[in-house]
């Protein structure tokens, strides 16, 4: 199908290259063939009329979805938290700092503790998070910490609430609010947790949290995610983001293209990431989410685990191209997840992003979990005598990624080597017990 380029551009500018699919009509790669039985997303939303450009149909579809006969107030005016949301998002996205993702469920945390011989008890989980949050100088490199619900209400051994421990270091407390993944057919998932979310967000804000996280997971293998998976996850992310902002929490919007088995290419990842981002932002706009008061947490563009690995330069090229095409400049920060990368690879790729896009309209930074915690946990292994050594490793890892965000990392890496890992997806809820 031929592209209908409006008068403002010859080849189609970024705004007009995107239809409902998010697929830029570029000449450097061919559009993948859709599998039999899977509808082409270009054709399922609006029945085209003769002599009407595709872009016009896209706009008609959006307007039809938004028009319900009632006038709406702008979230910039109607939300009493609007100024605070903007300031919080801007603060967390400050250059040279990133997010410590420590929001693993009790079940996942238990598995990590078991890997170094530690029992999965509430006290041990608390001791582990206290080690992380009290690491010296951590606030120089970390602007926010995402916590699990149990951790948000816990205190250190000397009775100081973790929320206050973090704030003393200049670190903004955050909270995971989704209810985990549920299977929706085959290897695809949807994220649950909208029921009662507004009440929970209000409680979390009262406890001291100022931002939230909701993770959606999409699978690129086997021909890419279905339209059903893209739409259901995009809707969930947008509905959550609106509820979070209404309760004073900056929403982290996380459409994760999970790194998995397969020989799909880095170009495939870029293609599907663009498509997903287009759907996500369409839903965010339809839900009246204030873009200056959100943070993005996407995956970097990586090839499948069975494909040849990509260099940091290649990762940076495809990732920044995807973000420039898919994320509006109004968003203050893009905080990439480490998602299966080794500690060193995550740092090198982050550095390469700055080199590839030095004038990015948003902060290209990090929200790392395993890439900050894995070596730290191994060093600690539950031994109180190892606490300082483990905290020094954490601070060194945070510093390395801070330098990479500034484009100033030179090495050596505190946790050199290592390889990518296949991430196991667990469905059935967040596992609070």
């Amino acid at each position: 199908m031929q592209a209908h380029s409006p008068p403002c551009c010859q080849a189609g500018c970024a705004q007009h290259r995107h239809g409902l699919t998010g697929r830029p009509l570029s000449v450097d790669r061919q559009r993948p063939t859709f599998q039999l039985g899977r509808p082409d997303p270009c054709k399922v939303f609006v029945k085209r009329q003769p002599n009407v450009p595709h872009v016009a149909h896209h706009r008609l579809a959006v307007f039809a979805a938004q028009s319900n006969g009632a006038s709406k107030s702008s979230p910039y005016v109607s939300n009493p938290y609007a100024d605070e949301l903007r300031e919080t998002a801007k603060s967390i996205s400050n250059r040279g700092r990133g997010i410590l993702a420590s929001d693993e469920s009790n079940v996942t945390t238990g598995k990590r503790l078991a890997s170094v011989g530690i029992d999965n008890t509430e006290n041990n989980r608390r001791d582990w998070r206290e080690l992380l949050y009290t690491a010296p100088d951590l606030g120089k490199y970390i602007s926010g910490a995402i916590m699990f619900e149990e951790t948000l209400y816990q205190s250190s051994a000397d009775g100081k609430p973790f929320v206050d421990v973090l704030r003393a270091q200049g670190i903004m407390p955050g909270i995971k609010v989704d209810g985990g993944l549920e299977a929706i057919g085959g290897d695809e998932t949807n994220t649950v947790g909208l029921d009662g979310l507004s009440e929970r967000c209000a409680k979390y804000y009262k406890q001291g949290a100022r931002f939230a996280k909701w993770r959606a997971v999409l699978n690129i293998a086997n021909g890419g995610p279905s339209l059903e998976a893209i739409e259901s996850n995009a809707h969930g992310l947008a509905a959550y983001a609106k509820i979070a902002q209404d309760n004073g929490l900056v929403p982290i919007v996380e459409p994760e293209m999970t790194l998995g088995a397969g020989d799909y290419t880095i170009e495939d990842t870029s293609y599907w990431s663009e498509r997903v981002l287009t759907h996500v932002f369409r839903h965010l706009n339809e839900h009246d989410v204030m873009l200056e008061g959100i943070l993005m947490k996407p995956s970097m563009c990586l090839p499948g685990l069975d494909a040849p690995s990509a260099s940091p330069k290649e990762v940076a090229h495809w990732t920044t191209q995807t973000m420039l095409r898919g994320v509006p400049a109004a968003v203050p920060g893009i905080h990439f997840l480490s998602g299966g990368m080794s500690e060193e690879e995550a740092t090198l790729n982050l550095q390469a992003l700055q080199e590839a896009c030095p004038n990015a309209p948003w902060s290209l930074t990090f929200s790392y979990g395993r890439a900050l915690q894995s070596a730290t946990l191994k060093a600690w292994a539950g031994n109180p005598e190892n606490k300082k050594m483990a905290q020094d490793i954490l601070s060194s890892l945070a510093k390395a990624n801070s330098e990479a965000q500034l484009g100033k990392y030179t090495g050596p890496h505190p946790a050199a080597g290592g390889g990518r890992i296949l991430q196991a997806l667990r469905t059935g809820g967040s596992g609070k017990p």
Side-chain angles (χ1 to χ4, degrees):
M1 181 170 62
Q2 281 289 324
H4 296 271
S5 297
C8 63
C9 56
Q10 291 184 336
C13 65
Q15 177 182 355
H16 296 109
R17 283 200 306 265
H18 289 72
L20 287 172
T21 65
R23 168 64 159 77
L25 299 175
S26 57
V27 297
D28 58 342
R29 61 190 183 194
Q30 294 182 347
R31 176 178 180 153
T33 302
F34 286 92
Q35 296 180 1
L36 186 63
R38 178 172 291 178
D40 183 341
C42 285
K43 302 175 182 177
V44 299
F45 288 95
V46 181
K47 183 177 180 180
R48 294 200 59 191
Q49 299 296 326
N51 304 319
V52 180
H54 179 70
V55 169
H57 276 280
H58 167 53
R59 289 173 177 163
L60 286 171
V62 173
F63 293 157
Q66 292 177 332
S67 299
N68 57 11
S71 61
K72 294 183 178 180
S73 298
S74 165
Y76 300 86
V77 176
S78 61
N79 190 330
Y81 297 102
D83 290 342
E84 181 182 351
L85 292 168
R86 281 191 289 262
E87 287 303 313
T88 299
K90 181 180 178 181
S91 174
I92 295 174
S93 300
N94 279 342
R95 287 183 56 77
R97 301 172 82 198
I99 294 172
L100 168 63
S102 59
D103 57 310
E104 298 84 3
S105 70
N106 292 346
V107 172
T108 300
T109 302
K111 292 178 180 178
R112 304 245 175 115
L113 294 177
S115 71
V116 293
I118 304 173
D119 292 335
N120 185 18
T121 66
E122 182 177 351
N123 283 339
N124 286 340
R125 292 193 298 270
R126 185 204 64 199
D127 290 346
W128 167 233
R129 265 57 183 263
E130 181 175 350
L131 181 152
L132 297 175
Y133 302 155
T134 59
D137 297 326
L138 188 66
K140 291 181 179 180
Y141 320 115
I142 299 296
S143 56
I146 313 171
M147 294 185 280
F148 192 59
E149 185 178 59
E150 175 187 82
T151 317
L152 181 68
Y153 292 93
Q154 284 180 326
S155 300
S156 62
D158 61 4
K160 189 173 185 178
F162 280 151
V163 168
D164 295 336
V165 170
L166 290 170
R167 287 190 178 278
Q169 289 230 53
I171 300 173
M172 197 77 71
I175 178 70
K176 166 190 164 74
V177 300
D178 68 72
L181 306 176
E182 66 173 4
I184 58 173
D187 56 359
E188 297 191 307
T189 61
N190 185 47
T191 306
V192 298
L194 289 175
D195 290 344
L197 180 58
S198 183
E199 292 78 8
R200 288 189 285 119
C201 285
K203 287 197 317 178
Y204 300 150
Y205 183 92
K206 184 177 180 180
Q207 179 63 16
R210 288 298 178 267
F211 70 101
K213 192 202 85 167
W214 178 287
R215 178 192 183 214
V217 178
L218 295 125
N219 195 338
I220 306 175
N222 302 319
S226 68
L227 182 60
E228 175 191 3
I230 295 174
E231 277 291 291
S232 61
N233 280 287
H235 169 78
L237 284 166
Y240 135 76
K242 175 61 173 174
I243 293 170
Q245 286 191 341
D246 285 348
N247 288 279
L249 300 178
V250 169
I252 290 180
V253 177
E254 181 177 357
E256 176 182 345
M257 309 301 293
T258 187
L259 177 64
D263 60 356
Y264 57 87
T265 66
I266 193 170
E267 293 94 333
D268 293 331
T269 305
S270 174
Y271 168 82
W272 288 109
S273 296
E274 284 184 43
R275 170 169 294 185
V276 168
L277 286 171
T278 299
H279 282 265
V280 167
F281 277 98
R282 176 169 60 84
H283 279 276
L284 288 171
N285 287 328
E286 290 173 0
H287 280 76
D288 286 330
V289 173
M290 184 176 67
L291 298 186
E292 289 87 349
I294 73 169
L295 301 171
M296 291 300 296
K297 186 176 178 178
S299 313
M300 295 186 195
C301 291
L302 300 168
L305 290 171
D306 299 320
S309 61
S311 68
K313 185 175 181 179
E314 291 174 300
V315 172
H317 166 75
W318 288 103
T319 301
T320 55
Q321 173 179 284
T322 300
M323 297 302 115
L324 286 167
R325 287 174 170 176
V327 180
V331 176
I334 301 178
H335 298 251
F336 291 96
L337 55 94
S338 52
M341 294 185 286
S342 71
E343 292 98 327
E344 185 173 22
E345 182 183 15
T347 303
L348 294 175
N349 286 344
L350 182 63
Q351 166 97 354
L353 293 176
Q354 319 307 320
E355 297 168 351
C357 198
N359 299 313
W362 359 251
S363 175
L364 293 168
T365 186
F366 62 94
S367 177
Y368 289 168
R370 196 182 64 85
L372 294 174
Q373 293 186 46
S374 184
T376 306
L377 179 61
K378 291 175 183 177
W380 176 53
N383 187 342
E385 295 180 358
N386 296 338
K387 182 176 180 179
K388 183 181 183 306
M389 176 178 63
Q391 289 183 322
D392 288 344
I393 291 175
L394 173 61
S395 294
S396 296
L397 288 166
K399 181 181 179 182
N401 286 293
S402 169
E403 292 172 346
Q405 199 288 318
L406 295 169
K408 298 179 179 179
Y409 172 75
T410 58
H413 200 272
R420 294 178 182 171
I421 62 167
L422 177 63
Q423 300 182 95
L425 296 181
R426 187 176 62 81
T427 57
S430 59
K432 290 184 180 181

